[in-house]
Amino acid sequence: MSMRRPMSLSISILLTLALHSPKFIQSQTQPSILGFTPPAAARETELENKFKAIPSPDEERRQHRVFTEEPHVAGSARNNELARYIADQWRNEGLEDVIIRRYDVYGSNPKSTFLEMVAPVHYRAGLRELPVPGDPDMKNKSISSAWSGMSASGEVTAPLVYAHSGNPEDYELLRKQGIDVKGKVVLVRYSNPYSYRGFKALTAEREGAAAILIYSDPAEDGYKKGKVVPNGPWGPEYHIQRGAITYDFMVPGDPLTPGWASVPGAKRIPVEQAVSIPKIMALPLSWHDAKPLLAQMDGPVAPDDWQGGLPIKYHLGGNRVRVHVKIEMDNSTQPYYVVEGRIRGAQLPDDWIVLGNHRDAWVFGGVDPSSGTASLMELTRALGKLAKAGTRPRRTLVFCSWDGEEVGLTGSTEWGEQFADELRSKAVAYINVDEATSGPIFHGQAVASLAPMLVEATRTLRDPSGKTLYEAWKESSTRERREAKQTEEVTDTNLADTRIGSGSDHTVFLNFVGMPVLGLQFDGPYGVYHSAYDDFFWMNHFGDPGYRYHTLMSQLWGVLALRLANANLLPFDFASYANNIRQFVNELSKEKNVWGQPPSAVQPGEARPSSPLDLTPVLDAIDQFEAAGKRLDESAGHALAAGALDPKLAATINHGAMQVERNWLNPDGIPGRPWFKHILYGARFTYAHLELPGLTEAVEKQDWTTAKQQAEILRQALLNNTKLVNDLNDTLNRKTAGQTAFQSRSDGIH
Ligand SMILES: [Zn+2]
């Protein structure tokens, strides 16, 4: 297709654009997509329409059944069989270079777990999830009993203490009540508020506890929330939230190869030196097994906000109830398998868009991760079909099925470490889908530079409610913010979640490789996470009975991948990035009172607090980066609107723009956690997002020397990226100015 543009029209567009932001283009009637020339946008729209018509709810359901038929925990024969199944499917679908990569990693499997109360009465915990009417899969003999990944082995008989959520402040309160947990067993709840169970284990280990029991209180995911399985989506009496307690917030992946890949012959550190291996025993419990223990406990009555949903008074314990815990683990080296396949780009095969989902599940993995795996399989079928028919993306799409995500983000981390150098030169972005759907509420995450393209893509998709996905997303976000009593109104600028913590396979790509990442999920009431009840029955009755959100996920994932693969100029918005960084810095100053109060807020007669850290130079650098980003946005808008773009020039600009994310890496990492190299994005030990991690943690510790160093690292990175973006802008302007003379020669890239 050719859409040659008369010169006068180009100029009039240029003039219009000079007066308006590039977003103005969106209001034009002809299709407009960030990063595309008008003719390329028209072709892209046609392609996307073809693509979106392929994924079907029936196929999603069929694939979902394949993956949820049997338990498939990391390292199991079934999970490895599914790896071969995926590889076979991908080859049939026309994907290229399909390969199963093996990593020999320190795995974790239970031999036996045992818990009994020995005083004041005897109770032996069943540690099993009982079948419910209507769900034949729950009778499967290979459903595991209760166990925690990476638990230590051992045996202890000791008093039991109720430590609420198991966060450090909870032990503070116990101490104030005169309760010491040293050598004792602690019983904690999963989430009040949520924190990663590995952080609970580390906290208990630091407090000197002999073992930690983590149970699901009905107040959090059970009958206090609503109807339970089989009558509703919430967790029933016997549901057990399995999960690993690996200290992967220190360093994810194989604990014995921190920072390099567990390929054959790789150096391995001794187990004793591995910082991510817990030394404490851990066991998850259903409330069915926790209730008899809680009911017998003595000691002071627990505070009001420690009381849970069971019809008993919760006590702090520490004396009367004694429990006997015995855990035997087989924690040893075993193979994990990552499946990799690609659709090679027709024009830019060495530019990669990476897409991934983990395959391993605690049991059947109805939501986590098999909803995502089904969506991935429908995505590859659809894109494979187009490729077979001769419609290839311009850039290469790389698809990955990760293993051992549940154990320590293991497969993706090893793969990312193995190909870090290649990814740093070739990768445009990584798009992660872990749980595709547990309901209808969309959550979209993106590094701030890709937030605008994510929001834009949702406008072209139809939500099962009949609205566009964009409208549905905006409505649910507005509702959520109202419920959370947030006053900030939902706008296109703040719709996407740009605060990215850890807890899934994007971690290595963002924090170690320095790639921009996106994360997609549909959410809803979901009380059976990591339990056997998270299965095919649950999905067909509660999560997504019509498989319409699975289908929508395949469509959205594909549209984003195709846009990144086909764009003339990659749709990075660095002005938006700068704006986000400014917000992070301002929040840090405000929340941590880095500057003290501004003069206007200081009452007369009150001394102005001292300012241990001056962030003005950082804010100045952010202003410069924002200005550079705006200029590049405008130049890119002009170049694209002109309809023609020299492919070599576009490649120069794109490869330069890809380096911006890499420049946020500090090779030394953040203080204390050298593996985590990104200076804007990090995660707390709880997995919660942590912006400006090195700087923020230093400020929180009031370690002003480190804080000043971290602020300077941030300022330097901002200046480097400002220079890079300014140079790109100069190149683009110089070349496009020279190009207009013979513009009629070509209509650009196809
Ligand atoms: Zn998952």
Side-chain angles (χ1 to χ4, degrees), residues 223-529:
Y223 61 77
K224 284 282 175 184
K225 289 284 195 180
K227 284 187 177 165
V228 304
V229 169
N231 304 309
W234 295 101
E237 179 170 357
Y238 290 92
H239 85 282
I240 297 165
Q241 186 192 132
R242 293 162 190 76
I245 57 163
T246 316
Y247 302 161
D248 54 11
F249 40 76
M250 297 301 299
V251 53
D254 175 18
L256 305 186
T257 61
W260 61 93
S262 316
V263 292
K267 181 186 110 186
R268 283 172 172 76
I269 61 170
V271 174
E272 310 76 60
Q273 286 174 23
V275 293
S276 61
I277 299 179
K279 294 179 179 66
I280 190 168
M281 285 188 284
L283 193 61
L285 295 183
S286 64
W287 69 252
H288 174 85
D289 278 339
K291 190 179 168 198
L293 314 180
L294 281 163
Q296 289 294 337
M297 275 159 82
D298 61 350
V301 172
D304 282 352
D305 56 339
W306 287 35
Q307 297 295 325
L310 294 169
I312 50 171
K313 257 282 174 256
Y314 292 50
H315 290 253
L316 301 181
N319 291 307
R320 187 165 65 168
V321 172
R322 293 174 65 81
V323 292
H324 171 205
V325 184
K326 190 177 176 194
I327 297 173
E328 266 190 277
M329 299 294 294
D330 172 16
N331 293 351
S332 58
T333 300
Q334 68 179 122
Y336 282 2
Y337 297 97
V338 169
V339 192
E340 181 192 317
R342 63 190 65 204
I343 295 176
R344 265 184 241 131
Q347 277 133 22
L348 301 161
D350 285 336
D351 287 359
W352 297 355
I353 323 300
V354 185
L355 299 88
N357 155 264
H358 74 90
R359 185 179 66 254
D360 63 304
W362 282 106
V363 189
F364 301 106
V367 172
D368 182 10
S370 302
S371 61
T373 317
S375 289
L376 175 66
M377 298 312 284
E378 261 307 77
L379 173 65
T380 55
R381 185 178 72 88
L383 293 171
K385 195 171 172 181
L386 291 174
K388 272 185 180 172
T391 312
R392 282 184 172 275
R394 296 180 60 228
R395 299 182 179 86
T396 293
L397 302 176
V398 181
F399 303 91
C400 293
S401 165
W402 311 120
D403 200 352
E405 185 272 352
E406 295 291 2
V407 185
L409 316 177
T410 310
S412 56
T413 301
E414 297 312 309
W415 191 88
E417 288 173 343
Q418 183 177 4
F419 299 107
D421 289 342
E422 201 172 357
L423 289 166
R424 284 184 191 129
S425 78
K426 295 181 177 173
V428 173
Y430 172 68
I431 315 179
N432 192 57
V433 174
D434 185 320
E435 304 169 3
T437 168
S438 59
I441 299 161
F442 181 64
H443 282 287
Q445 275 199 327
V447 292
S449 57
L450 288 180
M453 76 90 63
L454 171 59
V455 172
E456 185 192 56
T458 60
R459 290 174 182 273
T460 64
L461 290 148
R462 192 59 59 191
D463 184 85
S465 63
K467 300 173 191 120
T468 65
L469 175 56
Y470 168 78
E471 290 164 332
W473 186 13
K474 219 168 168 181
E475 277 175 26
S476 58
S477 295
T478 305
R479 210 166 40 238
E480 273 178 5
R481 281 182 210 192
R482 209 177 299 135
E483 281 162 14
K485 305 221 180 330
Q486 287 172 5
T487 46
E488 195 191 25
E489 215 178 300
V490 177
T491 64
D492 284 4
T493 334
N494 64 27
L495 185 54
D497 177 10
T498 58
R499 292 157 197 274
I500 305 174
S502 183
S504 195
D505 292 304
H506 61 277
T507 306
V508 70
F509 301 108
L510 180 63
N511 299 102
F512 186 82
V513 180
M515 278 163 64
V517 300
L518 295 127
L520 316 170
Q521 183 181 3
F522 289 96
D523 212 351
Y526 175 44
V528 296
Y529 169 71

Side-chain angles (χ1 to χ4, degrees), residues 157-180:
T157 301
L160 184 68
V161 176
Y162 172 52
H164 185 225
S165 222
N167 293 321
E169 60 272 20
D170 297 324
Y171 293 94
E172 258 337 293
L173 190 141
L174 287 172
R175 247 188 297 282
K176 282 193 191 129
Q177 297 279 339
I179 297 173
D180 182 11

Side-chain angles (χ1 to χ4, degrees), residues 3 5 9-10 12-42 45 456 459 568-569 571 573 630 632-643:
M3 268 178 54
R5 206 174 271 287
L9 184 55
S10 290
S12 86
I13 285 178
L14 283 174
L15 288 172
T16 317
L17 283 165
L19 299 169
H20 299 273
S21 83
K23 289 203 176 85
F24 175 75
I25 313 169
Q26 283 185 348
S27 63
Q28 305 287 301
T29 44
Q30 72 186 171
S32 132
I33 303 173
L34 290 171
F36 288 76
T37 65
T45 304
E456 185 192 56
R459 290 174 182 273
N568 302 97
L569 292 177
D573 186 331
K630 277 186 180 154
L632 184 61
D633 276 355
E634 271 176 42
S635 307
H638 295 177
L640 292 167

